[in-house]
Each structure stands twice: as structure tokens, then as C-alpha cells.
Amino acid sequence: MELYYTFSVLIVLASFFAYLNLRFLKLPGTIGIMIIAMLVSVGIRLLGDSYFPATTRHFFDLIKEFDFNEILMGAMLNFLLFAGALHVNMADLKEQKVPIMIYSTVSVVLSALIISMLLYYIAPFLGINIPYVFCLVFGTLISPTDPIVVLGVLKEAKVPKRIETKIVGESLFNDGVAVVMFAVVLKMATDPTFDVSFSSIAWLFAKEGIGGLLLGAVFGFTASKVMKKIDDYKVSVLITLSIVTGGFLVAQSLHVSSPLAMVVAGLIIGNYGKKVAMSEVTKDYLGKFWELIDEILNAVLFLFIGFELLLLPDLNKQLLTGFVAIFIVLFSRLTSIVLPWKFFDIFKFFGIKSAYNKGSLMVLVWGGIRGGVSIALVLSMPEGEYKNLLLEVTYIVVLFSIVVQGLTVGKLAKRVLEKE
């Protein structure tokens, strides 16, 4: 009942904030909801105890009891990744399979290393002494672009399809890599008995990553074959729902990456399944159902990111560190994208060409938006000396990323296209 009550309150607030945004602010829907939630959070912090003490305490308790890490990483992420992958054209991804694969693996690792090293050497000048391993924790949790935020923002920013596919393709797959990286590094930081060897880390990556890809393929092809025999839109919707809900439980029990499994399952059903197993009526109902799920959960996600402001102990204390971290993250994003691009000439020998020119690289760098996944990962850290520091810095970086980058990436893409 408590979960139902909490979710009911969030849905009511999300619908109200969505209305206010559409009526007055006229910002992209998800960003508008988040900004209104943040303004309400500031208002509660400044005036709540003086004018509405009982309501303020009750609302604080409500937000604290909502396990953002468990709800996002364990439930919402799977729904949102499946819904996003369902509408991605596989042919577009295949054209850029090598760059997307490199940017979702090598670039994530490279970015985490650059961020951790820069933060480690710059932090003492800001009056902060933080062990390198915790700098590496921050690097791994902030490096992945958030596929949920990227999909939501790019769709509303009306970024051209060919550029959107490049950014979305990377963000869909880098999540699984980053979550495994974070798990490994966090164990290194908090568990002195953890075996930090190449073989143990390689096995964990292979099991989580390749296992997730294979499980998603099994789900996708099996569901497509089953739907082909009935072609009923009601049953088809139920089958896809069972893939997301039951698939998460199977992935958890097998200890493989559920985000990667949902992406692959969504891609297969959205391309192969629609082609061989569905009538136009089923395609229409299935597409609209998952689009609606996507919109509702995105609204709740951005609402909660805004209300996370209530849980931060003292945001003012880390403003300078957060401001510096923004530039560190942007520099690492630029470096981790440009360096692999410079090596794409190697692939021309094998007949593989990259359609990434300088213009689309600019959009790719600026479109690398961080979001709820980074916040969920930092919240999953055990209580300790550096958790609040990393939480506050992460929130500042995510806030800048969503508001500033999210509101300007569409304009940047249009300018780039005009020059091409």
C-alpha cells in the first residue's frame, strides 16, 4: 500500500507539473517537469518548515522512503529501455555498428579513467582529499550517457533522425558496460576481500555483458515466433509486458545484464517481430502502448530527479567542485569520442567507413546527456565518508547536463546541418 500511495502521489504531481509546463513554461515536457519539481523543492526547503511543517515532514519522508535506485535500476530502466529500443531501426544501427560498439565500450572506459585522474589531481586545489578509487567510482557512474534521458530529450528537441540514431545507438548499449564497471570499482572501494585480477574482472564483464545480449536475443526471437502464431494485439501487448517484467527476474537470477537484455529484445521485436509477426493493427496498438508507457515513466523519472534536491545535505558546499566537475566531464566526453574517431581510418582497410563527420561529432559530444542512471548508481553506494560528496557533485553535473545540454542540443544539431 505504501508503494501504491507513493506512486499515486508522484503520478498526480507529474500530471499537474506537465500541465503547468505545457500551459506556461512551454519547455520540452520532461525537462519542464524536472525544473518545476526543483522549484517546488527549493520552496519547500526555504518556506516549508515555517508555513507547512507537518506537510513538509510528511513529504520529506515520502521522498526518502522511495528507493530511487531499486525502482529505477530494477524496474523503470527495463521498461524504458525496451520501449526506446522498440522504435529504433536496426538497419540504421547496422550502418554504424563499429563506431557504436566502440563508443559504447572503449569510450566509456576511457572517459571513466580521464575523469578519475583529473578529479584526483584537481580535488586538492579545491580543499578536498579523496582517494583515487573513489574518483574512479565517480568516473564510472558519470561516464555513461543516460539512454532514458537521451531518448526523451532528443525526441522533443527534434534532432534529425540520422544524428539521433548515432547518439541513441551509443546510449542504449553503454549502460550495461557502465553498470558492470561501476559494480567492479565499487567492490574495489568498499570490499577489501574482492579479488582484483584481470581474469575475475574479465569474467564478470563477459558474464554480465555477453550473457545479457544472448538472453535478450532468446527473448526477442521467442516472443516474435509466438506472436506470429496468434497476431492479436491484446495478447501481443501482454507478451511484451511479460518479456520486460519476467525477463528482469530471469536476468537477475542468472546474474546477467538486464538492461542489455531489454535493449536486444526490444530491437528484435521492433524490427524482426514487426516484420514477420504483426499486422498493421497490432503494430499500431503495440507502438502506441509502449509510447504511452515511455511518456508516463519518463515524467515520473524527471519529477523524481527534481525532487532529489530535497535529499541533498548541503548543495552549496560543493557548488565549486560540481562546477569544476562539469568541465571535467565535458572534456572527458570530448576526448573519449574524438580519440576513437581518429582511429577509424584503420577500419577503412576492412571496408568499414564511419559516417561521423566533425559536425555530427560535435552533436554526439554535446548530446551525451547524463541523468537518472548516474544518480541511481551513486545512491546505491553504501553509507560512507565520500557518498554525500559524490552525490552532490553528481547531481550538479546531471542538472547541468539535462537543462543546459538538453535544451540546446536541438539548436546545435540544426546549426551543424546548415553548415554541412
Side-chain angles (χ1 to χ4, degrees):
M1 182 59 74
E2 285 185 6
L3 180 60
Y4 174 79
Y5 174 73
T6 304
F7 200 72
S8 298
V9 171
L10 292 175
I11 287 289
V12 170
L13 289 174
S15 62
F16 180 54
F17 291 174
Y19 170 79
L20 291 178
N21 175 62
L22 201 61
R23 184 79 173 81
F24 301 107
L25 296 183
K26 303 187 187 303
L27 294 171
T30 48
I31 296 178
I33 289 171
M34 188 192 76
I35 289 174
I36 295 173
M38 288 181 58
L39 293 174
V40 171
S41 298
V42 172
I44 290 173
R45 280 202 155 189
L46 293 177
L47 306 173
D49 287 332
S50 301
Y51 294 95
F52 313 101
T55 305
T56 298
R57 281 196 301 273
H58 186 62
F59 193 70
F60 261 100
D61 292 338
L62 185 75
I63 298 298
K64 283 180 182 177
E65 289 170 6
F66 191 86
D67 192 338
F68 184 61
N69 175 61
E70 181 65 28
I71 297 297
L72 175 60
M73 302 302 288
M76 288 176 68
L77 184 63
N78 295 290
F79 278 88
L80 289 163
L81 286 177
F82 182 86
L86 200 65
H87 297 98
V88 173
N89 190 330
M90 189 84 84
D92 294 336
L93 290 182
K94 281 182 179 178
E95 286 181 10
Q96 288 299 306
K97 57 181 179 293
V98 173
I100 286 173
M101 182 176 66
I102 290 174
Y103 286 143
S104 61
T105 54
V106 175
S107 290
V108 176
V109 176
L110 189 59
S111 173
L113 293 174
I114 294 170
I115 290 171
S116 61
M117 286 190 291
L118 288 176
L119 181 62
Y120 180 70
Y121 287 110
I122 292 174
F125 294 100
L126 304 174
I128 298 170
N129 291 308
I130 180 170
Y132 177 74
V133 70
F134 282 97
C135 294
L136 191 56
V137 168
F138 177 72
T140 56
L141 69 88
I142 205 68
S143 287
T145 57
D146 191 320
I148 302 166
V149 176
V150 168
L151 285 163
V153 168
L154 293 186
K155 184 168 57 179
E156 297 195 43
K158 295 182 173 57
V159 171
K161 193 69 179 175
R162 63 189 179 84
I163 294 180
E164 180 184 340
T165 300
K166 295 169 184 177
I167 302 175
V168 169
E170 176 214 356
S171 65
L172 281 173
F173 288 100
N174 71 11
D175 231 35
V177 176
V179 170
V180 177
M181 270 183 63
F182 175 78
V184 171
V185 175
L186 188 60
K187 267 189 171 294
M188 289 167 55
T190 58
D191 184 2
T193 63
F194 179 62
D195 177 25
V196 187
S197 64
F198 177 79
S199 58
S200 62
I201 293 173
W203 165 244
L204 186 58
F205 266 95
K207 184 184 176 185
E208 289 263 351
I210 297 173
L213 294 173
L214 291 175
L215 184 65
V218 171
F219 285 150
F221 283 115
T222 303
S224 298
K225 295 293 184 184
V226 171
M227 287 189 282
K228 185 179 180 180
K229 296 189 180 297
I230 47 113
D231 191 27
D232 179 272
Y233 73 87
K234 297 183 290 294
V235 179
S236 294
V237 166
L238 282 172
I239 289 171
T240 54
L241 269 175
S242 70
I243 290 292
V244 177
T245 53
F248 168 69
L249 298 177
V250 174
Q252 287 289 94
S253 64
L254 295 176
H255 301 288
V256 300
S257 172
S258 60
L260 285 176
M262 291 307 110
V263 168
V264 173
L267 285 172
I268 291 172
I269 294 172
N271 290 268
Y272 173 76
K274 284 183 179 179
K275 186 177 179 181
V276 304
M278 301 179 200
S279 63
E280 290 302 318
V281 173
T282 302
K283 287 180 192 175
D284 185 52
Y285 273 99
L286 192 68
K288 286 178 178 175
F289 172 81
W290 280 103
E291 187 176 346
L292 191 59
I293 291 288
D294 187 45
E295 292 292 335
I296 293 170
L297 291 182
N298 258 311
V300 173
L301 170 63
F302 277 78
L303 177 82
F304 199 81
I305 291 174
F307 281 138
E308 274 295 307
L309 192 59
L310 293 171
L311 303 183
L312 300 180
D314 186 7
L315 193 62
N316 293 333
K317 191 177 178 182
Q318 302 303 339
L319 276 178
L320 178 59
T321 309
F323 184 72
V324 172
I326 289 170
F327 286 95
I328 291 174
V329 170
L330 286 175
F331 175 77
S332 72
R333 173 70 178 172
L334 175 66
T335 308
S336 64
I337 292 297
V338 171
L339 285 181
W341 177 66
K342 292 290 186 183
F343 286 98
F344 277 138
D345 286 338
I346 298 170
F347 295 110
K348 290 179 182 177
F349 178 79
F350 301 101
I352 300 170
K353 294 182 180 179
S354 171
Y356 290 74
N357 52 33
K358 288 184 179 179
S360 58
L361 277 173
M362 286 172 59
V363 181
L364 189 65
V365 170
W366 196 245
I369 303 170
R370 276 70 178 178
V373 170
S374 294
I375 293 176
L377 289 176
V378 74
L379 284 172
S380 72
M381 292 176 62
E383 293 300 324
E385 184 180 354
Y386 302 103
K387 180 175 180 178
N388 284 339
L389 165 66
L390 295 185
L391 175 60
E392 290 159 14
V393 173
T394 299
Y395 192 84
I396 292 169
V397 173
V398 168
L399 181 61
F400 173 87
S401 189
I402 293 175
V403 176
V404 178
Q405 293 175 243
L407 290 177
T408 56
V409 66
K411 294 176 182 177
L412 176 63
K414 286 174 187 174
R415 264 190 204 174
V416 165
L417 284 178
E418 287 171 3
K419 291 179 181 179
E420 288 182 2

